[in-house]
Amino acid sequence: MGGLSNIAVVVVNDFHPFEFGVVCEVFGIDRVEDGLPAYEFGVVGGEPGPVRSSNDFTIQPRFGLERLAAADLIALPAVSDGRVARHGYPEPLLQALRDAIDRGARVLSVCSGAFILGEAGLLDGRRCTTHWRYADELARRYPAAKVDPDVLYVDDDPVISSAGTAAGIDACLYLVRKEQGSRVANGIARRMVVPPHRDGGQAQYVTQPVGPACNGVLRDLLEWLRANLAEPVTARQLAARAHMSERTFARRFVQDTGTTPQRWLIGQRILLAQQLLEETDETVDSIAEQAGFGNATAMRHHFRIWRGTTPNAYRHLFRGDRLG
């Protein structure tokens, strides 16, 4: 893939402003003074302007479809229910998306923006997702797509698709982390006052946010785990610390976080390992111990599953060959 410095977001008639704003917020704000990279950012009219939003105001994008030829990432925000139902997007836009994929760019959809990718044929044979309200229709309309209705986002490189509004933020930050590392993703998240990472495999719908869950017991447990990732813990120990039976704890954890205790813990350990690989000269063995994997073999196993690469390859990607 071709890096992440030139970003284009495409708007078509009946686009949703909030999902459009998500992409603008992550990539369209200059944060150089915070030590974060600048993106060359452009808003592109997917149809002749002015382009009408779902809230009945219009914008006049500065760029036409020719701008997509230079983009490393093309983002497609959500559109209204009515636009989804009407089918059809301009063939020049669809062809520009295909051309972008052919030359090595990425595309990212937020919510119902996935239907534009479907019309371009870019979901065929790929795993993808969208907001749970649209998942059945997406699967029906594009039967060659492998629609997963339960997850926050899917990376089937070079196509990234995400569910609702917050999941669009998650997917954008995930891609930043993948291409530019934890420091950059965490810096953007800090400015946006959002969580720096949510695992894409997490369920779209959770019973309630983690903060107030279990009268603070689960929240306190998660904070303790983040601060003690090197500690070996069992499900029984976690349940006891939360003052619950193992069965009740397992059920409540999934209800309140959208994932299992084991998957949540591995995800947090992966994030810590990434940060240490990026920012320190510690050996892989030392990092594996600090992150709670116990040994380098176990860490390499989980790294391959979660990140599709090895710890050493990840380190070289973000720190270059100076490490030898």
Side-chain angles (χ1 to χ4, degrees):
M1 295 296 127
L4 192 63
S5 61
N6 192 311
I7 317 295
V9 55
V10 176
V11 287
V12 297
N13 284 311
D14 294 322
F15 73 93
H16 276 325
F18 203 110
E19 285 77 2
F20 167 64
V22 162
V23 181
C24 295
E25 179 71 20
V26 175
F27 297 110
I29 294 179
D30 186 344
R31 300 183 174 99
V32 172
E33 290 186 356
D34 293 335
L36 300 172
Y39 300 105
E40 188 174 348
F41 183 80
V43 178
V44 173
E47 296 174 313
V51 179
R52 183 184 64 257
S53 79
S54 60
N55 299 81
D56 204 29
F57 65 82
T58 62
I59 65 173
Q60 182 63 59
R62 178 181 175 188
F63 298 102
L65 293 176
E66 67 282 352
R67 173 66 175 74
L68 302 185
D72 301 318
L73 173 68
I74 300 170
L76 300 155
V79 295
S80 69
D81 289 358
R83 186 66 195 262
V84 169
R86 287 201 300 275
H87 297 235
Y89 296 92
E91 180 57 30
L93 169 60
L94 303 181
Q95 187 58 52
L97 295 174
R98 298 183 198 111
D99 292 344
I101 293 295
D102 289 344
R103 65 174 173 77
R106 288 184 172 98
V107 293
L108 183 152
S109 64
V110 182
C111 192
S112 55
F115 285 85
I116 305 176
L117 298 181
E119 287 292 307
L122 298 180
L123 299 183
D124 292 354
R126 289 190 168 101
R127 287 187 63 240
C128 60
T129 194
T130 187
H131 193 289
W132 57 266
R133 292 178 60 240
Y134 300 115
D136 288 345
E137 177 63 14
L138 189 71
R140 184 195 68 77
R141 198 177 296 183
Y142 311 109
K146 302 173 184 177
V147 180
D148 187 339
D150 299 321
V151 298
L152 295 179
Y153 55 88
V154 172
D155 178 8
D156 196 332
D157 228 357
V159 176
I160 300 100
S161 52
S162 63
T165 303
I169 298 174
D170 296 327
C172 289
L173 291 176
Y174 159 82
L175 186 55
V176 170
R177 185 180 302 274
K178 178 178 180 178
E179 283 296 313
Q180 299 176 312
S182 299
R183 185 189 66 81
V184 176
N186 292 347
I188 295 173
R190 190 177 303 113
R191 278 285 301 268
M192 293 176 64
V193 197
V194 298
H197 177 80
R198 288 198 298 170
D199 172 28
Q202 186 170 316
Q204 287 193 23
Y205 178 78
V206 295
T207 304
Q208 54 185 320
V210 170
C214 306
N215 294 320
V217 173
L218 183 56
R219 180 196 61 217
D220 292 344
L221 175 64
L222 297 185
E223 291 177 355
W224 180 85
L225 281 171
R226 287 192 184 97
N228 296 275
L229 290 174
E231 297 291 328
V233 291
T234 65
R236 177 175 295 179
Q237 289 170 327
L238 293 178
R241 195 174 186 92
H243 307 292
M244 300 178 192
S245 70
E246 287 187 62
R247 180 175 297 181
T248 298
F249 173 72
R251 182 178 66 251
R252 190 59 181 266
F253 197 99
V254 172
Q255 287 177 343
D256 292 343
T257 71
T259 191
T260 64
Q262 182 184 29
R263 185 174 177 85
W264 185 91
L265 190 56
I266 292 172
Q268 293 298 311
R269 286 172 168 162
I270 289 284
L271 289 174
L272 176 57
Q274 285 181 248
Q275 182 177 349
L276 293 172
L277 287 165
E278 294 168 22
E279 298 178 359
T280 76
D281 294 325
E282 299 274 359
T283 65
V284 171
D285 287 298
S286 175
I287 290 173
E289 185 174 345
Q290 293 178 60
F293 290 108
N295 58 67
T297 300
M299 187 168 103
R300 278 192 289 268
H301 169 74
H302 289 295
F303 231 81
R304 283 191 178 277
I305 293 173
W306 283 66
R307 294 294 181 259
T309 188
T310 66
N312 277 327
Y314 181 88
R315 171 173 266 173
H316 282 290
L317 175 65
F318 287 102
R319 304 189 66 192
D321 294 333
R322 64 181 178 85
L323 295 173

